[in-house]
Amino acid sequence: MTTLTHRARRTEVGKSSEKKVESEEDTNQDRCPDHEDFGDSKDIRLTLMEEVLLLGLKDKEGYTSFWNDCISSGLRGGILIELAMRGRIYLEPPTMRKKRLLDRKVLLKSDSPTGDVLLDETLKHIKATEPTETVQTWIELLTGETWNPFKLQYQLRNVRERIAKNLVEKGILTTEKQNFLLFDMTTHPVTNTTEKQRLVKKLQDSVLERWVNDPQRMDKRTLALLVLAHSSDVLENVFSSLTDDKYDVAMNRAKDLVELDPEVEGTKHSATEMIWAVLAAFNKS
């Protein structure tokens, strides 16, 4: 069950509260989906997977919620979107028989290394796979959710730990050992809280002060991160610090965003198809 479908701490969200936090539309321009875009060059450069994991980690404890069974597939979806936004993969063009995003196969555009181990490992799998696979199938294969023993080779292992180590190297997390009665577990508490708060503030602003009410006008990486945070069930972590009124508005707008029809949004001018294909895959699962 994803972030927007269950709430125990908040009262039922009312559309009327949105009137209290109306703001001017943002003037952000679309960015080309085929080029790398990490935002402000002054910020530490993070991949979408690193941002999703950082949002899901408990700051002091250094691990994600034991009840979150969505983040694993969410991280794999982030890998596919990141590769598409870096111009390495794309969806095959639509045809009469394959119009839907979920029916179209993932194709290789460039096999040049990205410098990220997980991205390059996935790129190698996509390049070597024949016949080609769809977005939904790739998420399942990379997560290891397949009954075909010959396809288990595509599973990406220790993904959270490998992403956490990247964040340690970037000075955002640290590594500790914690004892949980019967076993020891490696944890990664947040040390650079400024970077995490910057990330949280960026997402909060995207649905409040900088809300544009049109996903095609949103910054593409921010749009992708909102979709992935929802699919990974970590969006509650992003909005939990807001006041009740702003929380209601933020959740309503995020809900409206992820409930858009991916098939319609994916065909619009300047749309990044992979973002909507990943959302369509999670909506179906």
Side-chain angles (χ1 to χ4, degrees):
M1 189 176 294
T2 52
T3 305
L4 300 181
T5 57
H6 64 336
R7 283 294 170 272
R9 187 173 61 82
R10 303 279 181 170
T11 57
E12 184 177 353
V13 176
K15 289 287 186 178
S16 60
S17 62
E18 187 165 337
K19 298 177 182 178
K20 301 177 182 179
V21 200
E22 288 297 332
S23 58
E24 295 182 359
E25 293 186 345
D26 183 33
T27 56
N28 285 347
Q29 300 296 316
D30 289 328
R31 301 182 183 181
C32 177
D34 290 339
H35 291 78
E36 295 183 30
D37 176 14
F38 292 92
D40 194 331
S41 60
K42 296 179 181 179
D43 297 325
I44 299 173
R45 293 184 172 185
L46 302 180
T47 64
L48 289 170
M49 307 87 72
E50 290 167 350
E51 290 178 328
V52 169
L53 183 65
L54 184 57
L55 292 174
L57 284 175
K58 300 174 184 292
D59 289 6
K60 294 181 179 179
E61 293 86 347
Y63 52 81
T64 57
S65 170
F66 291 120
W67 310 109
N68 188 337
D69 58 355
C70 302
I71 195 167
S72 292
S73 54
L75 291 172
R76 271 70 171 186
I79 289 174
L80 295 178
I81 295 176
E82 188 75 49
L83 284 172
M85 297 185 82
R86 294 192 184 204
R88 301 310 197 276
I89 61 174
Y90 66 103
L91 288 182
E92 65 178 337
T95 63
M96 290 299 295
R97 295 182 61 187
K98 294 182 179 180
K99 287 185 176 181
R100 297 192 320 137
L101 293 170
L102 293 182
D103 293 334
R104 292 154 60 188
K105 303 300 180 70
V106 176
L107 302 180
L108 185 71
K109 186 173 185 179
S110 170
D111 62 354
S112 58
T114 65
D116 181 278
V117 177
L118 283 173
L119 294 179
D120 291 341
E121 185 177 336
T122 303
L123 202 58
K124 187 182 298 183
H125 287 324
I126 293 174
K127 180 181 179 180
T129 301
E130 188 64 40
T132 53
E133 303 285 2
T134 64
V135 167
Q136 185 170 12
T137 299
W138 270 119
I139 291 175
E140 293 170 353
L141 292 176
L142 296 174
T143 310
E145 297 177 355
T146 175
W147 293 102
N148 188 339
F150 298 104
K151 300 277 188 162
L152 288 175
Q153 60 179 313
Y154 298 126
Q155 180 181 1
L156 297 178
R157 302 183 183 278
N158 303 317
V159 169
R160 293 188 214 188
E161 183 63 24
R162 292 160 75 181
I163 295 174
K165 287 183 177 179
N166 287 346
L167 290 169
V168 170
E169 292 176 0
K170 293 179 179 181
I172 298 175
L173 305 180
T174 188
T175 301
E176 295 180 357
K177 288 282 187 180
Q178 288 196 27
N179 181 269
F180 289 87
L181 297 179
L182 299 177
F183 61 94
D184 290 333
M185 185 174 80
T186 300
T187 61
H188 298 283
V190 177
T191 54
N192 188 342
T193 55
T194 300
E195 180 63 21
K196 181 167 183 177
Q197 288 305 312
R198 181 199 65 80
L199 182 60
V200 168
K201 184 68 163 57
K202 181 179 77 170
L203 288 186
Q204 290 177 350
D205 286 348
S206 71
V207 292
L208 293 173
E209 284 77 9
R210 294 176 176 272
W211 177 245
V212 294
N213 202 30
D214 178 3
Q216 306 308 325
R217 295 178 56 206
M218 292 182 70
D219 170 75
K220 294 297 185 284
R221 291 189 70 85
T222 302
L223 172 62
L225 188 54
L226 282 170
V227 167
L228 292 170
H230 159 67
S231 303
S232 302
D233 202 7
V234 299
L235 206 51
E236 167 72 14
N237 299 358
V238 176
F239 299 148
S240 61
S241 62
L242 295 172
T243 62
D244 285 347
D245 285 347
K246 288 188 176 182
Y247 176 93
D248 290 348
V249 172
M251 292 305 296
N252 270 326
R253 289 174 173 173
K255 182 174 182 289
D256 290 343
L257 181 66
V258 298
E259 288 184 351
L260 290 171
D261 186 348
E263 298 296 339
V264 174
E265 298 302 321
T267 61
K268 292 183 178 179
H269 177 67
S270 78
T272 302
E273 288 185 320
M274 192 63 70
I275 296 176
W276 298 107
V278 167
L279 178 60
F282 286 123
N283 286 346
K284 186 177 180 181
S285 60

